[in-house]
């Protein structure tokens, strides 16, 4: 699919996906690409009257394994829990710190990481309120500049954080064990000038195992860690080009990274000397990436106000939608409901009831069957009974003779008996017009 600024959907994109988008203005939207009539329709799930200058969405994540709840983090101290089934906010949590860099949930506890480097964990009761009886957990020795907090999908008690600076390098914590630190990364050796390599882990991503994870940096490197082997990265990609990575998604043996210049690259962790795929169609910095459960479709949020879906194998852009605001976060989920089911049901009801068009036809048929002539038939009969004007007197005379023969045989009716007189009058008028026309022609020839 060629580059364009229009909303597009490939006919090969037949997956029943739901796309949730968070924007710079604070709006939270839902897209249904499988909706046949309106695949680019946007549903605002947040009341626009409640938004302010600090309402920009900084974090989106699923709260449970079945992806029925979404954790929404914003630039202010409050986080929201959104229900996918009802389409409304279930409850709001106030953490008293801002901005929120990432959210996670395990059991009945919600974990939040903040830009100042702190991590808080609070217990939530069934009503959605903070359980004051349960002890709160605060980790304030993580660092002072956190960029992202990510939860391990295979072990939801484990979270990883990363930020800017040596004191904010990659760290892994077990929140169920009271925030025990399981791993902290170690920087690469100094460069050839014996200077420290700068660190900025702006995003973190887990693989299938909690021991393997990757980071990307604004300084242009992608690193792969294995916590069972060593503290330093086991694989690393670095470039001297102006490539500043902003976000990361991982699945299988591949890492997908977005840059500030609108480049989306895929790396193979078995050989990270160079990237193996490039995905096109972007005109702004990529702010977030998310893979579906199958790992075949990659959704991206971009600062050019577009949300896109690519096929990870063919690198083809399957879907592109303009969301009117700078997209900061995106989530991709397999929908359990068919968005076209309601329309199909209405069509079936119309078919069972005869449909609107069939109902009109039935009404028209009932009118004709009851002896009342419809308006269309009256209109046609009016044209059939109109007088015919003949230009040739001989033709009129032939019609008179034919009509006289019909009357003698008794085939005509009362309306046809008056017809010869009318035709005689019309023939006389036609002959007079023809004579005048011939006289005018003769005068022109003489002149």
């Amino acid at each position: 699919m060629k580059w364009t600024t229009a909303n597009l959907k490939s006919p090969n994109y037949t997956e029943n996906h739901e796309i949730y988008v968070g924007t710079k203005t604070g709006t939270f939207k839902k897209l249904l690409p499988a909706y046949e009539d309106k695949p680019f329709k946007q549903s605002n799930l947040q009341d626009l009257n409640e938004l302010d200058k600090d309402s920009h969405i900084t974090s989106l994540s699923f709260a449970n394994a079945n992806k029925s709840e979404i954790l929404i983090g914003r630039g202010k101290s409050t986080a929201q829990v959104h229900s996918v089934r009802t389409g409304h906010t279930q409850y709001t949590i106030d953490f008293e710190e801002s901005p929120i860099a990432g959210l996670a949930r395990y059991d009945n506890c919600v974990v939040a990481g903040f830009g100042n480097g702190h991590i808080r964990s609070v217990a939530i009761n069934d009503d959605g309120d903070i359980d004051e009886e349960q002890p709160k957990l605060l980790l304030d020795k993580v660092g002072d500049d956190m960029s992202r907090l990510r939860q391990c999908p295979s072990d939801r008690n484990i979270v990883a954080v990363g930020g800017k600076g040596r004191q904010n390098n990659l760290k892994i914590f077990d929140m169920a064990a009271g925030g025990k630190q399981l791993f902290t990364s170690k920087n690469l050796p100094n460069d050839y000038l014996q200077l420290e390599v700068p660190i900025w882990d702006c995003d973190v991503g887990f693989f299938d195992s909690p021991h393997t994870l990757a980071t990307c940096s604004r300084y242009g490197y992608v690193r792969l860690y294995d916590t069972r082997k060593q503290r330093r990265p086991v694989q690393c990609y670095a470039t001297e080009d102006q490539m500043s990575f902003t976000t990361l998604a991982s699945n299988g043996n591949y890492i997908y990274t977005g840059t500030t210049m609108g480049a989306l690259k895929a790396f193979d962790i078995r050989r990270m000397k160079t990237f193996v795929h490039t995905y096109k169609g972007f005109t702004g910095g990529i702010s977030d990436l998310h893979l579906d459960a199958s790992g075949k479709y990659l959704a991206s949020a971009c600062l050019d106000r577009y949300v896109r879906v690519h096929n990870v194998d063919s690198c083809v852009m399957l879907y592109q939608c303009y969301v009117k605001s700078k997209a900061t976060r995106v989530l991709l989920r397999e929908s359990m409901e068919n968005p076209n089911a309601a329309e199909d049901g209405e069509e079936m009801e119309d078919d069972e009831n005869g449909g609107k068009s069939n109902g009109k036809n039935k009404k028209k048929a009932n009118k004709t069957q009851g002896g009342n002539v419809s308006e269309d038939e009256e209109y046609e009969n009016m044209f059939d009974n109109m007088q015919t004007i003949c230009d040739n007197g001989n033709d009129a005379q032939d019609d008179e003779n034919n009509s006289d023969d019909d009357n003698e045989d008794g085939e005509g009716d009362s309306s046809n008996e008056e017809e010869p007189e009318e035709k005689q009058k019309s023939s006389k008028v036609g002959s007079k017009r023809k004579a005048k026309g011939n006289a005018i022609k003769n005068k022109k020839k003489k002149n």
Side-chain angles (χ1 to χ4, degrees), residues 107 150 177 199 272 377 393:
D107 297 334
R150 292 279 193 179
I199 297 176
M272 291 186 60
E377 292 181 357

Side-chain angles (χ1 to χ4, degrees), residues 277-442:
H277 293 304
T278 299
Y279 303 89
K280 299 180 180 180
F282 303 93
T283 58
I286 301 173
S287 54
D288 196 20
L289 298 172
H290 192 266
L291 286 161
D292 70 331
S294 64
K296 296 181 180 179
Y297 300 94
L298 179 63
S300 57
C302 191
L303 296 181
D304 61 0
R305 296 178 173 85
Y306 280 92
V307 172
R308 299 175 177 88
V309 178
H310 285 79
N311 188 305
V312 298
D313 297 327
S314 63
C315 304
V316 176
M317 185 173 65
L318 302 175
Y319 181 76
Q320 177 177 270
C321 181
Y322 184 74
V323 294
K324 305 176 183 178
S325 301
K326 293 181 179 180
T328 56
R329 294 292 179 264
V330 65
L331 289 178
L332 188 63
R333 174 181 180 268
E334 184 72 22
S335 179
M336 299 301 175
E337 299 178 357
N338 185 8
N340 303 308
E343 295 183 356
D344 295 339
E346 292 177 359
E347 291 178 359
M348 291 177 65
E349 290 179 0
D350 292 339
D351 294 337
E352 291 175 359
N353 298 328
K356 296 181 180 179
S357 59
N358 293 337
K360 291 180 180 178
N361 293 331
K362 286 181 179 179
K363 290 180 180 178
K364 190 180 291 185
N366 292 333
K367 285 184 178 180
T368 56
Q369 290 176 2
N372 297 328
V373 182
S374 63
E375 295 179 359
D376 293 337
E377 292 181 357
E378 291 180 358
Y379 196 65
E380 292 176 359
N381 293 333
M382 181 179 67
F383 279 101
D384 293 339
N385 297 328
M386 289 180 68
Q387 298 179 4
T388 303
I389 299 175
C390 299
D391 293 335
N392 192 354
N394 296 328
D395 295 338
Q397 189 67 28
D398 293 338
D399 293 337
E400 291 176 6
N401 296 331
N402 294 331
S403 62
D404 293 338
D405 295 338
D406 293 338
N407 292 329
E408 289 176 0
D409 295 337
E411 294 178 358
D413 51 3
S414 60
S415 62
N416 292 332
E417 290 178 357
E418 299 176 358
E419 189 174 357
E421 296 180 0
E422 295 177 355
K423 286 187 176 181
Q424 278 183 350
K425 293 180 181 179
S426 62
S427 62
K428 290 179 181 179
V429 174
S431 60
K432 289 181 180 179
R433 290 179 180 175
K434 189 174 182 180
K436 289 182 180 179
N438 293 332
I440 294 170
K441 288 182 181 178
N442 293 330

Side-chain angles (χ1 to χ4, degrees), residues 131-412:
D131 193 351
E132 300 294 343
E133 298 180 358
Q134 299 292 333
K136 299 180 181 179
L137 180 61
L138 172 61
L139 302 178
D140 56 354
K141 297 181 180 179
V142 178
D144 55 4
D145 191 354
M146 185 185 301
S147 297
R148 187 65 67 92
L149 180 143
R150 292 279 193 179
Q151 185 177 21
C152 178
S154 57
D155 191 352
R156 304 189 67 85
N157 300 332
I158 297 176
V159 296
V161 297
K164 185 178 180 180
R166 184 177 59 182
Q167 69 276 13
N168 300 288
N169 57 346
L170 174 65
K171 297 180 180 66
I172 302 176
F173 299 91
D174 187 356
M175 303 306 297
K180 179 182 178 181
Q181 182 172 317
L182 302 179
F183 176 80
T184 178
S185 64
K186 188 176 181 180
N187 195 10
L188 296 177
N190 296 341
D191 59 9
Y192 65 97
L193 295 177
Q194 295 302 313
L195 297 176
E196 184 180 13
V197 178
I199 297 176
W200 189 352
D201 294 330
C202 59
D203 201 357
V204 182
F206 282 92
F207 288 87
D208 298 333
S209 171
H211 305 288
T212 307
L213 66 163
T215 62
C216 65
S217 174
R218 291 289 183 94
Y219 294 135
Y221 65 77
V222 179
R223 296 176 181 177
L224 177 68
Y225 292 89
D226 191 344
T227 60
R228 296 167 296 185
K229 293 183 178 180
Q230 59 186 26
R231 293 176 58 191
R232 281 177 174 165
V234 295
Q235 292 280 351
C236 183
Y237 169 82
T239 177
E240 296 180 356
D241 299 335
Q242 294 181 354
M243 187 175 292
S244 179
F245 297 102
T246 57
T247 183
L248 175 146
S250 57
N251 180 65
N253 294 322
Y254 293 94
I255 302 173
Y256 306 93
T257 57
T259 68
T260 57
M261 301 299 292
L264 181 55
K265 308 290 185 180
F267 297 90
D268 192 339
I269 63 176
R270 293 165 291 188
R271 189 175 181 270
M272 291 186 60
K273 290 185 178 181
T274 183
F275 50 85
V276 294
H277 293 304
T278 299
Y279 303 89
K280 299 180 180 180
F282 303 93
T283 58
I286 301 173
S287 54
D288 196 20
L289 298 172
H290 192 266
L291 286 161
D292 70 331
S294 64
K296 296 181 180 179
Y297 300 94
L298 179 63
S300 57
C302 191
L303 296 181
D304 61 0
R305 296 178 173 85
Y306 280 92
V307 172
R308 299 175 177 88
V309 178
H310 285 79
N311 188 305
V312 298
D313 297 327
S314 63
C315 304
V316 176
M317 185 173 65
L318 302 175
Y319 181 76
Q320 177 177 270
C321 181
Y322 184 74
V323 294
K324 305 176 183 178
S325 301
K326 293 181 179 180
T328 56
R329 294 292 179 264
V330 65
L331 289 178
L332 188 63
R333 174 181 180 268
E334 184 72 22
S335 179
M336 299 301 175
E337 299 178 357
N338 185 8
N340 303 308
E343 295 183 356
D344 295 339
E346 292 177 359
E347 291 178 359
M348 291 177 65
E349 290 179 0
D350 292 339
D351 294 337
E352 291 175 359
N353 298 328
K356 296 181 180 179
S357 59
N358 293 337
K360 291 180 180 178
N361 293 331
K362 286 181 179 179
K363 290 180 180 178
K364 190 180 291 185
N366 292 333
K367 285 184 178 180
T368 56
Q369 290 176 2
N372 297 328
V373 182
S374 63
E375 295 179 359
D376 293 337
E377 292 181 357
E378 291 180 358
Y379 196 65
E380 292 176 359
N381 293 333
M382 181 179 67
F383 279 101
D384 293 339
N385 297 328
M386 289 180 68
Q387 298 179 4
T388 303
I389 299 175
C390 299
D391 293 335
N392 192 354
N394 296 328
D395 295 338
Q397 189 67 28
D398 293 338
D399 293 337
E400 291 176 6
N401 296 331
N402 294 331
S403 62
D404 293 338
D405 295 338
D406 293 338
N407 292 329
E408 289 176 0
D409 295 337
E411 294 178 358

